[in-house]
Amino acid sequence: MKDDSKIGMSLIVKTITRLIVGPILIFGAYIMLRGHLSPGGGFAGGVIIALSFVLLILAFGRDAKVSKVSINLASNLESIGALMFLCVALLGFLGGSFFLNILNKGVPFKLFSAGTIPLSNLSIGLKVGVGLFAIFLALVILEGTKKNK
Amino acid sequence: MELYILLIFMIFAALVAIEVKDLLSSVIAMGAVGFSLCLAFLILKAPDLAITQLVVEILCLIILIRATTRKDIPLVVEGRWVFNTVSTAVFMAVFLFFAFHALKELPFFGQPLMSVVKKYLEEGMSKTGAVNLVAAVILDFRAYDTLGEVAVLFTSVVGIMAVLRRPGRNNLKEKNHER
């Protein structure tokens, strides 16, 4: 990262962002993976993960390639998330009907329980997080190209 | 009691958001409405909805503030205000009349009929194995609705990508340069 100090916000904001982005990302993953045990779920966790990347872009400026997620990769990952959710839905056909919960229910209050619900949470989280981040990226890039004219 | 204070505050903030001239102040008043809606969900004991509302509100505020700052978007307030006011009043009167008669048939607040919900509450944990009943409902009993929601989000992202995509704009730039 050359001429780091010229783009983005001030040094204080950048330092705090560096410290806080990792915990935000882990908290989003926690909310997403424990959606069947505690409040939260795939949607909220996905948006929290997207917000951590949004924080990176806001602090370091859009030209610094901090996040390493391009807009094409974002839209590809978003399609993969939607397909994953559809695959979880089609998995129910192995047991007889659409969206049937065929996996092992497990012990309640354990992380690996509730059959297909954690898989659905994971796919929805991937889809929502990357999709909203892609929307944000598109809007930021739009603003940049308007300024250049 | 706190719920009524919050509702009155939300109505007041929404009126401020409509009436204020500055666009950034209007966006901030919208944020006040959203965050008090989050608090209202917490008071009504719906933490799942509160978390989702809080997070989505933050993202919406970031996008809206980035879109409204550094730009002078004129706010058009002139026009046929007599016709607008009269039509709004007539519509609100019709809506309130029908809503008054329709809402009398609903059960009281906080006392649902429990015809469908009872089955979910009793059999939710044994049938799905999920401790969080909200996750059990939206991802197992009503997963078809969630599939529709995912399709809606996918369509919106595809639409935004189609409108704002980069290759199209680059081609437009090259064409402008050639001329």
Side-chain angles (χ1 to χ4, degrees):
Chain A
M1 271 178 270
K2 51 191 176 180
D3 58 345
D4 201 13
S5 57
K6 296 216 173 136
I7 44 180
M9 294 188 182
S10 67
L11 182 66
I12 300 171
V13 178
K14 280 180 186 171
T15 313
I16 298 291
T17 302
R18 258 191 219 115
L19 289 177
I20 214 173
V21 153
I24 290 178
L25 200 64
I26 292 175
F27 182 66
Y30 169 81
I31 289 269
M32 193 164 89
L33 290 178
R34 283 180 63 96
H36 56 296
L37 301 177
S38 58
F43 199 94
V47 182
I48 291 175
I49 290 178
L51 276 175
S52 69
F53 285 104
V54 166
L55 178 65
L56 271 182
I57 288 209
L58 283 182
F60 287 91
R62 63 178 162 273
D63 297 324
K65 302 282 184 200
V66 189
S67 68
K68 296 190 177 64
V69 180
S70 74
I71 200 160
N72 280 329
L73 179 64
S75 51
N76 284 342
L77 277 179
E78 198 241 347
S79 314
I80 287 173
L83 278 179
M84 261 177 71
F85 190 56
L86 199 59
C87 286
V88 171
L90 292 178
L91 200 65
F93 273 125
L94 291 178
S97 69
F98 204 52
F99 269 120
L100 193 68
N101 201 340
I102 58 157
L103 293 181
N104 191 12
K105 302 291 187 297
V107 188
F109 293 102
K110 286 282 194 295
L111 184 60
F112 293 103
S113 64
T116 56
I117 289 179
L119 283 179
S120 312
N121 262 332
L122 199 65
S123 51
I124 288 179
L126 182 67
K127 202 211 116 49
V128 169
V130 178
L132 291 182
F133 181 62
I135 289 177
F136 180 77
L137 266 186
L139 290 175
V140 166
I141 287 170
L142 169 80
E143 205 183 0
T145 46
K146 259 187 186 172
K147 257 183 213 162
N148 289 340
K149 273 176 190 172
Chain B
M1 186 60 204
E2 301 97 343
L3 190 63
Y4 287 104
I5 297 175
L6 267 180
L7 288 179
I8 292 170
F9 175 72
M10 276 166 68
I11 293 174
F12 180 71
L15 285 178
V16 168
I18 295 174
E19 289 298 327
V20 80
K21 289 286 193 298
D22 185 21
L23 211 52
L24 187 60
S25 315
S26 174
V27 168
I28 290 171
M30 284 273 301
V33 175
F35 286 125
S36 17
L37 183 61
C38 166
L39 277 182
F41 281 142
L42 269 185
I43 290 173
L44 293 174
K45 299 192 176 68
D48 292 82
L49 276 177
I51 292 176
T52 310
Q53 169 69 28
L54 178 72
V55 164
V56 171
E57 189 66 37
I58 290 172
L59 191 65
C60 285
L61 275 184
I62 288 175
I63 290 179
L64 279 179
I65 286 178
R66 260 194 98 84
T68 50
T69 48
R70 304 179 201 161
K71 275 179 204 166
D72 293 325
I73 305 171
L75 199 61
V76 182
V77 284
E78 290 118 27
R80 303 178 292 176
W81 64 273
V82 178
F83 174 74
N84 286 346
T85 315
V86 169
S87 59
T88 309
V90 167
F91 176 75
M92 278 182 71
V94 170
F95 174 76
L96 284 180
F97 177 73
F98 282 105
F100 177 69
H101 285 280
L103 293 180
K104 269 201 298 194
E105 303 295 321
L106 283 179
F108 281 113
F109 188 71
Q111 294 167 1
L113 288 176
M114 305 284 284
S115 53
V116 185
V117 187
K118 209 172 203 172
K119 188 161 172 289
Y120 290 163
L121 285 180
E122 282 169 354
E123 302 177 2
M125 200 174 123
S126 59
K127 273 199 170 178
T128 66
V131 184
N132 186 4
L133 269 178
V134 178
V137 170
I138 66 170
L139 291 176
D140 198 306
F141 291 118
R142 292 269 177 265
Y144 203 69
D145 294 349
T146 312
L147 185 64
E149 179 193 328
V150 166
V152 167
L153 194 71
F154 182 72
T155 314
S156 66
V157 172
V158 166
I160 287 179
M161 289 293 164
V163 173
L164 302 179
R165 70 187 189 281
R166 230 175 179 178
R169 194 167 297 115
N170 283 347
N171 288 342
L172 202 67
K173 257 188 204 168
E174 283 166 13
K175 272 180 195 168
N176 285 343
H177 281 306
E178 281 168 9
R179 283 173 201 167

